[in-house]
């Protein structure tokens, strides 16, 4: 018979118990999280003929505009090392994934408030449901990336460039979750604050718009002066650059920076998850 | 037997205006993360929703939480379910808890009834296999077989509630927390819900039940706690707690009535009396809980209605007492067929009884002048509560006037009353053909 004791104090002083509960929660709430995702996806697209296609259209249209601007020499994005269309398609779809990861996590308590005010849910079910949902959306984005890589593979070769590497693409698929990890870690870190002040999510959403132009999404950033500082401090720049070159050339130019960000944001994610786990009940009251 | 539920000196405070004090939330969050104990000191705009509540329940016990809205019942239930954290005290739940706090929690309107069953069961911790084993039982209980594949946005609110209850009541709890959710669906389904709860009780499930339905509380629960402003006012057998609560409500209603209409001095002028009637009546012609109101008339004026008990005017009547209703009004012009009716409404709009002069054309010969009549009721048997008298005066074809003329309260005088009326009765019964007793009650 499960015995539960509710007291005012958090379990901060018994981190071992919290970590055990986090792991148990992650294992036990897989089905619950899956049902939450199925529920959301079905209801999101219940009355839509094209469903997920709309999610792809936004970054692809933006990509097409930049491609057209580059072709007509309105912009000169610099040396990309791969067909520009591949550069921006990968960049925009990876950025869309990053933004989705941040925003879904940061608004997690508020969007779950209707459930949390009536049901006792394990925090892990909510976190997992967001990860599952992002993974579902990524499946279509990855398909789009693969489709354009294969489509432009020959023309790229004719220009002496590479648009697709089979081995590299498998490595790209294995390392692609790092984009979700960085976004989810940042989002989850700010989720408790956003539960109290909704301005947090608004500020982040506004900030992420222009940040797209300060990251190697639509063009490669120069690595001199202030741009070099931006590259060094960016949570996503080395990851984006290396994932692109992995998929197209099976090569990584910034493996150390990539690994450093993986470890740093992995730790940030664990820390944020710990905070989220011990404070969810308080947060759902305050949201 | 060891207690299955222990609630020990539990406190919970809330802010009346949380949006104006977002800083409280931030401070509380940091204190919580740092492992600090919350302070019980009330900050600006804060109040105790639950104030030093303690009780214990053993397996198979049934407890009702009663009290007015905002008395802390739902907050206490939410704390017992772990949805809300206590600010002080300790709650131990020694069994699988199932809470029926909102029947539609987790339902998505765009999805079918069946999908929602799987979702709701998953949110209560059931996996697919476990849900599959009970899904037919749930559909059968909800009586929604025909609509189970339709999106629940096409369901009526009663159908949604039926589905919600059916899911929640089949998830095999050891401790069941129910928050005022049984007033849903039609009477047949309500009966079915109660039958299911009785079945769970017989399976030794511990039930904590929040309800405003006193008959349901007495029927379902052995014990009850009456909460007022977060504090326990009475705890004990459900009948006793309900009675204590009712007498408190009676006192409050009486106080409210006396506040609404301060007694007039004997020297009050006619103008003051008219002013007093004006306050009681509705200014414009409109439909209300008590039917159409026609407050203005060029034919009737100076309307008065008084309740007399032992010759004294009053607004409070004791059940089964004698009451005289004295009505007077003046006809300003000739009326062909005069009728006047005294309609008794419960405060919530339910018409309880009507006394009409039209029944025997009693006013057939009255066409003008100052009319006064008295109605004597030897045994006023309405159950305790708040009532209003609505009086229409008509000319046989149209209302000349129709408005609320009196508000009054019926007090129990210590009797146990359930329903609308308390019927005077006596028993006579026999055992093996031999008369045992004959007791008037």
């Amino acid at each position: 018979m499960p015995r539960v004791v509710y007291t005012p104090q958090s379990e901060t002083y018994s981190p071992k118990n919290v970590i055990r509960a986090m792991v148990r929660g992650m294992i036990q709430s897989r089905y619950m999280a899956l049902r939450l995702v199925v529920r959301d996806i079905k209801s999101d697209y219940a009355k839509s003929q094209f469903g997920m296609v709309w999610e792809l259209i936004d970054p692809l249209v933006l990509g097409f505009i930049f491609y057209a601007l580059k072709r007509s020499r309105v912009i000169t994005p610099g040396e990309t090392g791969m067909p520009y269309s591949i550069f921006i398609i990968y960049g925009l779809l990876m950025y869309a994934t990053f933004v989705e990861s941040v925003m879904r996590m940061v608004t997690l308590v508020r969007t779950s408030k209707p459930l949390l005010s009536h049901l006792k849910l394990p925090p892990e079910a909510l976190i997992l449901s967001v990860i599952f949902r992002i993974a579902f959306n990524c499946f279509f984005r990855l398909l789009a990336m693969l489709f354009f890589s294969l489509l432009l593979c020959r023309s790229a070769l004719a220009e002496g460039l590479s648009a697709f590497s089979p081995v590299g693409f498998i490595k790209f698929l294995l390392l692609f979750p790092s984009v979700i990890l960085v976004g989810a870690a940042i989002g989850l870190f700010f989720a408790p604050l956003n539960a109290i002040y909704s301005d947090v999510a608004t500020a982040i959403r506004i900030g992420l718009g222009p940040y797209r132009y300060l990251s190697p999404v639509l063009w490669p950033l120069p690595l001199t002066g202030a741009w070099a500082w931006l590259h060094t401090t960016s949570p996503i720049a080395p990851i984006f650059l290396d994932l692109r070159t992995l998929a197209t050339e099976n090569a990584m130019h910034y493996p150390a920076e990539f690994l450093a960000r993986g470890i740093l944001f992995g730790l940030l994610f664990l820390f944020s998850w710990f905070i989220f786990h011990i404070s969810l009940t308080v947060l759902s009251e305050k949201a | 037997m060891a207690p299955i539920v222990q609630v020990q000196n539990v406190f919970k405070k809330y802010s009346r205006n949380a949006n104006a004090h977002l800083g409280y939330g931030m401070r509380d969050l940091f204190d919580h993360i740092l492992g600090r104990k919350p302070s019980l000191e009330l900050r600006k705009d804060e109040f105790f929703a639950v104030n030093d509540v303690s009780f214990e329940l053993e397996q198979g016990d049934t407890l009702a939480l009663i009290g007015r809205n905002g008395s802390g019942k739902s907050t206490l239930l939410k704390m017992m379910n772990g949805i809300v954290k206590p600010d002080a005290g300790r709650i131990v739940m020694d069994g699988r808890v199932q809470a029926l706090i909102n029947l539609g929690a987790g339902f998505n309107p765009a999805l079918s009834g069946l999908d929602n069953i799987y979702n709701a069961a998953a949110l209560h911790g059931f996996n697919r296999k476990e849900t599959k084993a009970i899904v037919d039982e749930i559909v059968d209980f909800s009586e929604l077989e025909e609509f189970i594949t339709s999106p629940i946005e096409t369901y009526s609110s009663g159908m949604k509630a039926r589905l919600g209850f059916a899911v929640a009541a089949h998830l095999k709890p050891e401790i069941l927390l129910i928050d005022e959710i049984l007033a849903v669906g039609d009477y047949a389904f309500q009966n079915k819900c109660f039958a299911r709860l009785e079945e769970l009780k017989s399976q030794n499930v511990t039930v904590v039940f929040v309800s405003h339905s006193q008959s349901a509380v007495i029927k379902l629960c052995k014990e009850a706690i009456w909460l007022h402003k977060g504090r326990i006012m009475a705890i004990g057998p459900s009948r006793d707690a309900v009675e204590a609560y009712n007498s408190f409500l009676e006192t409050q209603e009486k106080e409210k009535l006396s506040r609404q209409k301060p007694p007039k001095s004997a020297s009050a002028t006619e103008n003051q009396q008219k002013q007093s009637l004006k306050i009681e009546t509705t200014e414009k012609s409109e439909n209300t809980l008590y039917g159409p109101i026609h407050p203005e008339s060029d034919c009737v004026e100076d309307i008065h209605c008084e309740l007399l008990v032992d010759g004294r005017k009053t607004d409070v009547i004791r059940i089964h007492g004698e009451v005289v209703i004295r009505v007077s009004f003046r006809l300003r012009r000739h009326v062909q067929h005069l009728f006047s009716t005294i309609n008794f409404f419960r405060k919530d709009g339910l018409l309880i009884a009507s006394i009409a002069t039209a029944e025997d054309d009693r006013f057939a010969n009255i066409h003008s002048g100052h009319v006064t009549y008295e109605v004597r009721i030897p045994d006023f048997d309405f159950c305790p509560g708040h009532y209003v008298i609505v009086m229409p005066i008509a000319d046989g074809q149209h209302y000349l006037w129709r408005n609320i003329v009196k508000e009054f309260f019926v007090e129990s005088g210590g009797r146990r009353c359930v329903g609308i009326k308390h019927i005077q009765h006596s028993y006579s019964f026999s055992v093996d053909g031999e008369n045992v007793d004959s007791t008037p009650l």
Side-chain angles (χ1 to χ4, degrees):
Chain A
M1 220 165 39
R3 180 186 167 93
V4 191
V5 180
Y6 300 116
T7 58
Q9 271 176 296
S10 69
E11 302 139 297
T12 310
Y13 291 128
S14 51
K16 210 191 271 180
N17 288 348
V18 178
I19 291 166
R20 215 176 287 153
M22 285 161 64
V23 174
R24 200 173 43 238
M26 202 51 102
I27 295 165
Q28 288 176 351
S29 19
R30 282 169 305 164
Y31 178 67
M32 193 187 288
L34 196 66
R35 289 302 318 181
L36 280 172
V37 174
V38 171
R39 183 190 77 140
D40 288 347
I41 292 171
K42 277 190 177 176
S43 73
D44 281 358
Y45 303 129
K47 289 187 176 154
S48 168
Q49 276 290 323
F50 300 103
M52 186 60 206
V53 174
W54 293 112
E55 304 285 327
L56 290 173
I57 282 177
D58 180 40
L60 290 181
V61 165
L62 189 66
F64 178 77
I65 291 168
F66 271 84
Y67 180 70
L69 289 174
K70 196 235 172 193
R71 271 193 72 117
S72 54
R73 295 176 195 279
V74 176
I75 56 165
T76 44
E79 189 53 52
T80 57
M82 65 187 74
Y84 184 63
S85 46
I86 289 292
F87 186 91
I88 51 175
I89 285 166
Y90 273 68
L92 283 166
L93 292 178
M94 284 193 290
Y95 196 74
T97 304
F98 170 68
V99 171
E100 188 189 7
S101 308
V102 175
M103 293 316 296
R104 280 192 189 273
M105 281 295 180
V106 91
T107 55
L108 184 53
V109 181
R110 285 189 172 269
T111 51
S112 311
K113 172 80 178 165
L115 281 178
L116 291 171
S117 51
H118 300 299
L119 294 167
K120 171 120 182 90
L121 297 180
E124 287 69 32
L126 299 178
I127 295 174
L128 262 185
S129 73
V130 168
I131 292 172
F132 286 169
R133 181 63 200 263
I134 299 165
F136 172 82
N137 290 353
C138 282
F139 175 75
F140 294 95
R141 291 191 191 117
L142 290 169
L143 272 185
M145 290 185 223
L146 180 64
F147 172 78
F148 282 105
S149 279
L150 293 173
L151 186 74
L152 301 171
C153 191
R154 279 199 181 170
S155 59
L157 277 176
E159 290 173 39
L161 298 167
S162 174
F164 181 67
S165 153
V167 179
F169 197 83
I170 291 166
K171 289 182 188 167
F172 164 80
L173 289 179
L174 291 173
L175 291 176
F176 185 80
S178 55
V179 179
I180 302 173
L181 175 71
V182 175
I186 295 170
L188 197 59
F189 181 76
F190 287 108
L193 293 180
N194 186 60
I196 294 164
Y197 297 105
S198 61
D199 316 83
V200 174
T202 312
I204 291 176
R205 193 178 55 246
I206 291 171
L208 284 174
Y211 191 66
R212 174 196 285 152
Y213 304 101
L214 301 176
S215 304
V217 175
L218 293 161
W219 42 62
L221 298 179
L223 295 175
T224 53
W227 293 105
W229 178 81
L230 258 179
H231 176 84
T232 318
T233 55
S234 166
I236 51 171
I239 294 175
F240 276 31
L241 289 171
D242 271 359
L243 282 177
R244 261 202 213 99
T245 49
L246 257 182
T248 52
E249 302 163 22
N250 188 21
M252 286 177 88
H253 301 298
Y254 309 98
E257 283 99 325
F258 194 116
L259 184 67
R261 275 154 185 80
I263 293 168
L264 184 71
F265 285 98
L267 291 173
L268 180 68
F269 182 80
L270 289 175
F271 173 74
S272 307
W273 176 14
F274 183 93
I275 299 294
F276 189 79
H277 181 94
I278 59 171
S279 57
L280 182 62
T281 315
V282 175
L283 291 174
S284 69
E285 272 178 52
K286 311 285 180 197
Chain B
M1 201 190 286
I4 190 167
V5 174
Q6 294 172 63
V7 175
Q8 296 162 345
N9 306 101
V10 167
F11 288 80
K12 180 72 201 175
K13 57 181 184 174
Y14 279 129
S15 171
R16 281 188 191 88
N17 191 359
N19 290 341
H21 301 291
L22 294 176
Y24 292 176
M26 208 61 202
R27 235 166 293 151
D28 292 347
L29 175 64
F30 275 110
D31 284 347
H32 186 76
I33 290 170
L34 296 174
R36 289 182 195 142
K37 220 173 170 181
S39 160
L40 276 183
E41 205 174 298
L42 291 178
R43 295 169 289 197
K44 194 184 169 204
D45 284 342
E46 282 190 333
F47 66 99
F48 282 113
V50 173
N51 194 337
D52 199 12
V53 169
S54 301
F55 62 88
E56 285 188 353
L57 295 175
E58 290 179 356
Q59 199 165 8
D61 279 354
T62 46
L63 175 83
L65 300 176
I66 57 172
R68 303 198 75 155
N69 290 335
S71 59
K73 308 180 297 287
S74 299
T75 305
L76 184 57
L77 216 62
K78 284 185 176 182
M79 282 194 283
M80 291 169 74
N81 193 30
I83 296 171
V84 171
K85 252 189 181 299
D87 284 326
R90 187 168 180 264
I91 298 174
V92 183
M93 305 295 279
D94 215 344
R96 195 172 48 251
V97 181
Q98 181 64 57
L100 304 185
I101 286 173
N102 178 338
L103 285 179
F107 279 4
N108 192 306
L111 305 185
S112 71
L114 199 62
D115 275 340
N116 275 303
I117 291 176
Y118 277 96
N119 288 341
L123 293 175
H124 285 98
F126 273 54
N127 63 32
R128 189 173 175 79
K129 202 175 156 193
E130 287 166 331
T131 313
K132 218 172 176 179
I134 53 169
V135 75
D136 289 341
E137 219 178 310
I138 293 172
V139 175
D140 193 39
F141 186 88
S142 68
E143 301 169 14
L144 291 168
E145 296 89 342
E146 215 181 310
F147 306 97
I148 205 66
T149 51
S150 310
I152 63 164
E153 63 194 357
T154 61
Y155 288 16
S156 69
S157 54
M159 287 160 82
K160 275 182 224 166
R162 271 155 65 174
L163 188 64
F165 182 84
V167 175
H170 284 81
L171 300 181
K172 299 180 179 69
E174 284 162 316
I175 303 165
L176 185 62
L177 311 175
I178 309 168
D179 189 2
E180 193 59 79
I181 42 86
L182 295 180
V184 295
D186 49 34
Y187 283 114
F189 191 75
Q190 280 183 27
N191 281 335
K192 206 170 170 181
C193 292
F194 273 102
R196 175 68 186 163
L197 290 177
E198 289 292 345
E199 196 184 318
L200 290 171
K201 264 169 66 181
S202 68
Q203 291 164 9
N204 240 3
V205 172
T206 305
V207 179
V208 182
F209 181 54
V210 169
S211 179
H212 289 288
S213 163
Q214 299 185 349
S215 54
V217 163
I218 293 169
K219 206 160 69 180
L220 196 68
C221 301
K222 215 169 88 187
E223 305 251 303
I225 289 178
W226 162 32
L227 286 171
H228 183 64
K229 293 184 177 172
R231 281 184 185 279
I232 292 184
M233 304 297 281
I235 181 166
S238 54
R239 267 186 188 281
D240 296 348
V242 165
E243 261 175 40
Y245 174 51
N246 279 342
S247 56
F248 166 78
L249 286 181
E250 278 183 17
T251 315
Q252 274 209 326
E253 287 288 341
K254 278 193 261 182
E255 278 171 11
K256 204 169 135 194
L257 266 179
S258 63
R259 270 203 306 275
Q260 274 175 356
K261 285 183 279 178
K264 288 184 287 250
S265 67
S267 60
T269 63
E270 197 179 326
N271 272 350
Q272 279 173 314
Q273 285 176 1
K274 278 184 183 169
Q275 189 60 35
S276 151
L277 184 63
K278 212 172 173 186
I279 293 164
E280 287 174 7
T281 58
T282 309
E283 289 300 315
K284 288 174 192 165
S285 189
E286 58 185 22
N287 277 309
T288 67
L289 266 178
Y290 316 111
I293 296 292
H294 300 277
E296 283 158 18
S297 169
D298 56 353
C299 188
V300 192
E301 63 178 9
D302 210 7
I303 305 132
H304 293 274
C305 176
E306 288 160 350
L307 297 181
L308 305 169
V309 172
D310 298 331
R312 278 197 301 269
K313 291 181 198 173
T314 184
D315 294 325
V316 180
I317 303 167
R318 180 162 287 199
I319 191 167
H320 293 305
E322 184 182 281
V323 186
V324 173
I325 303 169
R326 183 188 290 158
V327 176
S328 68
F329 54 88
R330 183 188 300 279
L331 295 171
R332 291 169 67 184
R333 60 173 168 80
H334 184 89
V335 176
Q336 194 61 39
H337 299 288
L338 180 67
F339 301 117
S340 171
T341 308
I342 298 168
N343 290 322
F344 295 94
F345 283 91
R346 203 164 62 186
K347 194 78 193 280
D348 62 4
L350 178 71
L351 177 63
I352 309 284
S354 190
I355 301 170
T357 62
E359 281 170 19
D360 47 9
D361 212 1
R362 192 171 289 272
F363 290 173
N365 299 318
I366 300 173
H367 303 296
S368 61
H370 190 196
V371 181
T372 302
Y373 68 92
E374 286 188 352
V375 178
R376 195 177 70 86
I377 304 169
D379 177 12
F380 201 85
D381 59 358
F382 290 10
C383 274
H386 204 145
Y387 296 88
V388 297
I389 295 177
V390 174
M391 194 174 77
I393 301 170
D395 66 357
Q397 285 187 323
H398 307 102
Y399 286 128
L400 301 173
W401 191 87
R402 189 182 191 279
N403 210 338
I404 297 164
V405 289
K406 195 80 194 160
E407 283 188 41
F408 65 98
F409 188 76
V410 178
E411 61 179 4
S412 66
R415 283 174 193 267
R416 285 171 183 166
C417 305
V418 178
I420 299 167
K421 284 192 165 203
H422 185 257
I423 303 164
Q424 285 280 30
H425 59 285
S426 66
Y427 281 109
S428 83
F429 58 97
S430 61
V431 178
D432 297 333
E434 205 171 305
N435 267 358
V436 175
D437 196 3
S438 181
T439 324
L441 289 170

